[in-house]
Amino acid sequence: MVINPDNYGLRLFVRYLVLCLIALIFIFPLVFMINSSFKPDSQLLADTSSLRAFLPVGDISLDNYFGAFQRAPVGLFVFNSVLVTGVTVLLSLLICSLAAFSFTFLRWKGRDVMLSIVIATLIIPFETIAIPLLLLVSKLPWIGLDGLEWGWLNTYRVQIIPWIADGLTVFLFVQYFKGLPGELIEASRVEGASWWQVYYRVVMPLSGPVLATAAILKFLVMYNQYLWPLIVVQQENYRPVMVGLGYFFQLNVAWGEVMAYLTLITVPVLIFYLFLQRAFIASIASTGVKG
Amino acid sequence: MASKLTLSNRTGWTFALPGFALIVIFVILPFFFAIGLSLTNQRLLSPNPTQFVGLENYQQLLGLAAVTLEPERDDAGEVVRNKAGEIQYPRLRKITRSDDYPQYRGMREWFRWQSGDNVMVVIASDVVFMKALVNTFLFVLAVAPVQAGLALVLALLINQKLRGINVFRAIYFMPVVVSIVVVSLLWRFIYDGQNGLLNSILQGLTFGLFQPVDWLGNPSTALPAIMAMSIWQAVGFHMVIWLAGLQTISPTLYEAAAIEGASKWQTFRYVTWPGLRNTAVLVLIVITMQGFALFAQIDVMTNGGPRDSTQTLVFQAVERGYGKQDISGGSTISVILFAIVLTISLIQRWLTRER
């Protein structure tokens, strides 16, 4: 084969080589994590100094997974995360889309002021309100099984309710709704549909893309939560997966079990992502589209 | 007709109220709460009533002064030197604990430098906070341009028409969906000083010449190591935002450039880059806000150490507000943090405004 710089095949090869090398940089920690989860500790630590770290070789078993379940209530942590994430995402889609519907299609007193306030909250990073919010939720009332209770710490609600509504989700819905044909809404009204019916039967069925976008962004935020549950949940009963990780660092650390746990809480998300890849990427992209 | 159809105060309020009320209670209220608390001495669980203390918390955090230490002189007025020939200076605590200087009371040395025979010492009321402040700025100043630049390069790379390019796009984006907590733990292995992956790779590449470094255990490498990891984790996020920006540029502009015979660089400089102006502002603002929020990496990887080299503002806010139950101290740091984020995003908007 004659090699010359104009050779199309060679240029193509170089392009793919560059792309592959970069791809390696992005996946090697994950490959390491998954492979290590099958190895006993002694081999895991010895392997990190060679390429064997990235290969499922040697003494391979599922022992670490059994060990992880024995060491910590893994099932409970996963249940808590799925519950908190699922409920928050669903409520968020409902509440935020309703608000956006009202902001976009209805005209009422105070609407513009309210919308501006909601959009303005986009500039407040959660980390700057975490501490005062902690104080606030520790004093909020709640009607429980035994009547009125005070304080939301160590509950599911403290992990769900503050996260239902946020400026970004409302903003995403408003941007999308603006693009829907206004005639359609008016026609439905002329036909005698109530506003709830317009929302439920006309607008929502047309909102697949924005629902997916909002759901994915919220899912990533909620499932990967760390700071908030770390400070509001001290009891293991209500801890989500990321905070549950702390259990693996008490006394002697068994790295194989840590890796098994990391794999267990990460791989389902990665599979979910690979299936819905286009939607995931579109959701991030749409946060960058300014209208 | 349209106005009559869409005018409805009651329904409008009913639909918007749940979302608006939640945002007011859980975002806006705590935000103003933070400002209020920063002016008090509130603690999480305290038997004493909360008192208004004005700007004392801010003074306690931001108090800074520079003092000059003159060499000690003997009776003849000669500079006293020790056996090694180094000039002897009076102890700093003669100033910070002296009744002659009540304004410096309780302050500690942050850093010092030599100036002629004298030594200039910068003292701060809260040295750890000062380090956190500086580290956070260093983090943002280093991460923002590098991450934005690399993300743009990646976006240009995967914007080519190649078979299977979607696979690469998916892989580059992958770390974004993985929790930062998981990522931080994995990178502890990569940075490990004994037989970490990074040391092994560097030793392999240099045929054993490279001396292993304890990346996270060394004050001079810990923060850069966390910067590198953070860039790696989030670069895919910004790549996608750039990509969305790239796709808004009209193909006819590229065709025109091709007809004019523009080189690749010229096409980028005169077609691509001007078309990305709004995206650039957005990417920078998002990176800045994320950078100032740096917390999980610190909490998982270094706990602020070694020797405070990875202290950050959010880590300090959480450590005080939650760890030490000093709500007012944590709130004060939060307010300072918000003021910084707001100022910087306003400056970024102003610098990149339409002219």
Side-chain angles (χ1 to χ4, degrees):
Chain A
M1 192 180 101
V2 184
I3 295 178
N4 73 59
D6 294 330
N7 188 318
Y8 177 73
L10 183 70
R11 283 221 313 259
L12 204 62
F13 174 74
V14 171
R15 279 187 183 186
Y16 276 111
L17 189 70
V18 170
L19 288 169
C20 286
L21 286 176
I22 298 175
L24 274 185
I25 296 176
F26 282 102
I27 53 171
F28 82 95
L30 297 171
V31 175
F32 166 71
M33 170 185 83
I34 294 168
N35 280 310
S36 301
S37 71
F38 300 113
K39 298 175 183 176
D41 269 22
S42 53
Q43 193 203 331
L44 190 166
L45 295 173
D47 280 0
T48 55
S49 55
S50 71
L51 277 178
R52 288 164 60 91
F54 304 107
L55 299 170
V57 291
D59 194 2
I60 299 295
S61 74
L62 287 173
D63 287 355
N64 290 326
Y65 287 86
F66 296 119
F69 272 92
Q70 271 171 1
R71 181 176 281 247
V74 176
L76 179 68
F77 296 151
V78 173
F79 172 80
N80 290 341
S81 270
V82 170
L83 179 79
V84 166
T85 305
V87 172
T88 313
V89 169
L90 288 179
L91 287 175
S92 173
L93 293 183
L94 175 70
I95 301 283
C96 294
S97 65
L98 266 177
F101 178 88
S102 172
F103 286 134
T104 323
F105 298 122
L106 289 157
R107 300 203 317 137
W108 39 281
K109 247 191 207 134
R111 179 189 74 165
D112 296 341
V113 179
M114 258 200 200
L115 182 61
S116 319
I117 293 175
V118 169
I119 302 294
T121 60
L122 284 174
I123 193 78
I124 304 177
F126 171 73
E127 287 75 9
T128 66
I129 57 166
I131 296 302
L133 188 58
L134 167 70
L135 189 68
L136 181 76
V137 296
S138 74
K139 292 180 175 166
L140 280 181
W142 184 262
I143 297 175
L145 295 173
D146 325 315
L148 197 63
E149 302 165 359
W150 292 91
W152 285 18
L153 300 183
N154 293 314
T155 55
Y156 288 125
R157 61 179 176 271
V158 76
Q159 300 176 68
I160 294 172
I161 296 173
W163 295 87
I164 291 172
D166 67 288
L168 181 64
T169 310
V170 175
F171 177 71
L172 287 173
F173 276 110
V174 167
Q175 290 299 105
Y176 184 83
F177 288 165
K178 272 189 193 163
L180 292 179
E183 301 82 23
L184 200 65
I185 316 296
E186 279 165 23
S188 324
R189 285 294 284 168
V190 173
E191 300 272 323
S194 71
W195 279 114
W196 172 255
Q197 282 170 328
V198 176
Y199 165 81
Y200 187 68
R201 291 177 187 261
V202 181
V203 172
M204 277 302 108
L206 292 172
S207 301
V210 68
L211 286 168
T213 296
I216 284 170
L217 287 174
K218 202 75 185 184
F219 165 80
L220 284 179
V221 168
M222 294 308 295
Y223 186 78
N224 294 336
Q225 283 259 19
Y226 182 63
L227 173 58
W228 185 241
L230 185 74
I231 61 180
V232 294
V233 183
Q234 281 98 23
Q235 291 168 6
E236 76 171 34
N237 301 14
Y238 299 103
R239 288 204 147 158
V241 288
M242 297 307 157
V243 181
L245 201 49
Y247 275 70
F248 291 86
F249 293 92
Q250 291 160 351
L251 302 171
N252 55 331
V253 181
W255 285 109
E257 290 173 10
V258 172
M259 290 299 166
Y261 184 70
L262 292 184
T263 306
L264 217 58
I265 63 177
T266 304
V267 168
V269 180
L270 284 178
I271 292 172
F272 187 48
Y273 160 67
L274 289 174
F275 269 109
L276 298 173
Q277 197 220 108
R278 272 173 192 280
F280 265 84
I281 290 179
S283 69
I284 303 294
S286 67
T287 61
V289 178
K290 309 233 290 179
Chain B
M1 155 124 164
S3 63
K4 252 186 210 161
L5 277 173
T6 57
L7 192 69
S8 174
N9 271 320
R10 213 167 62 97
T11 320
W13 269 90
T14 323
F15 277 25
L17 199 61
F20 187 72
L22 286 169
I23 289 178
V24 168
I25 298 172
F26 295 108
V27 181
I28 297 173
L29 198 62
F31 174 72
F32 286 106
F33 224 32
I35 299 174
L37 286 169
S38 70
L39 305 174
T40 70
N41 62 358
Q42 173 84 40
R43 302 185 68 85
L44 188 57
L45 305 161
S46 166
N48 303 322
T50 305
Q51 287 173 327
F52 180 80
V53 296
L55 294 176
E56 207 175 272
N57 287 314
Y58 291 90
Q59 237 167 3
Q60 188 51 41
L61 286 171
L62 297 168
L64 262 188
V67 293
T68 309
L69 295 182
E70 289 174 6
E72 286 188 348
R73 292 175 191 277
D74 56 22
D75 298 338
E78 283 295 309
V79 173
V80 179
R81 291 174 184 273
N82 66 8
K83 281 176 198 150
E86 289 159 355
I87 303 173
Q88 292 289 292
Y89 294 98
R91 291 285 185 106
L92 187 65
R93 66 170 76 127
K94 277 192 179 158
I95 292 175
T96 55
R97 291 194 187 165
S98 152
D99 289 333
D100 300 341
Y101 306 99
Q103 72 270 34
Y104 298 146
R105 183 167 296 273
M107 292 173 102
R108 282 172 49 222
E109 174 171 345
W110 181 15
F111 58 89
R112 64 166 69 193
W113 74 93
Q114 193 83 32
S115 131
D117 272 356
N118 296 340
V119 161
M120 301 287 290
V121 184
V122 173
I123 53 178
S125 336
D126 193 325
V127 174
V128 178
F129 173 79
M130 284 299 158
K131 288 182 177 171
L133 191 67
V134 170
N135 288 338
T136 308
F137 269 96
L138 281 177
F139 184 84
V140 173
L141 284 175
V143 167
V146 176
Q147 179 154 292
L150 283 178
L152 179 57
V153 171
L154 288 179
L156 292 169
L157 260 181
I158 59 162
N159 201 28
Q160 10 178 15
K161 289 208 165 38
L162 275 180
R163 192 182 293 256
I165 197 76
N166 280 329
V167 175
F168 293 103
R169 188 189 299 190
I171 292 175
Y172 299 172
F173 187 77
M174 213 179 249
V176 177
V177 301
V178 180
S179 159
I180 188 70
V181 177
V182 172
V183 162
S184 301
L185 259 174
L186 289 173
W187 279 74
R188 264 173 53 175
F189 271 87
I190 293 166
Y191 286 141
D192 190 84
Q194 295 295 314
N195 39 15
L197 289 167
L198 182 60
N199 282 333
S200 307
I201 292 169
L202 290 175
Q203 280 189 307
L205 288 177
T206 57
F207 303 102
L209 283 175
F210 182 81
Q211 290 301 309
V213 174
D214 185 6
W215 298 97
L216 293 175
N218 185 333
S220 59
T221 54
L223 191 62
I226 289 177
M227 289 171 180
M229 186 213 78
S230 306
I231 291 170
W232 173 87
Q233 197 258 346
V235 74
F237 186 95
H238 301 287
M239 169 189 83
V240 168
I241 297 186
W242 282 122
L243 197 63
L246 283 174
Q247 285 165 355
T248 62
I249 301 172
S250 160
T252 53
L253 288 174
Y254 286 105
E255 283 163 23
I259 291 168
E260 300 270 332
S263 69
K264 269 190 174 171
W265 168 248
Q266 284 171 325
T267 311
F268 177 79
R269 174 74 186 77
Y270 296 105
V271 178
T272 313
W273 185 244
L276 290 174
R277 173 190 282 275
N278 287 333
T279 315
V281 180
L282 185 79
V283 166
L284 279 179
I285 290 179
V286 172
I287 294 181
T288 308
M289 284 182 66
Q290 288 174 344
F292 277 108
L294 176 64
F295 172 75
Q297 294 96 307
I298 306 297
D299 196 54
V300 174
M301 296 174 88
T302 60
N303 252 307
R307 276 189 270 134
D308 296 331
S309 62
T310 59
Q311 289 285 351
T312 67
L313 290 176
V314 176
F315 188 78
Q316 272 297 304
V318 173
E319 185 166 281
R320 285 173 208 219
Y322 174 69
K324 297 179 184 158
Q325 313 220 322
D326 174 10
I327 293 275
S328 57
S331 296
T332 310
I333 298 180
S334 300
V335 173
I336 294 174
L337 178 62
F338 177 75
I340 296 171
V341 171
L342 183 66
T343 312
I344 289 183
S345 48
L346 288 178
I347 293 174
Q348 277 175 342
R349 252 167 227 253
W350 182 76
L351 282 177
T352 49
R353 71 195 183 280
E354 301 285 343
R355 263 168 285 204

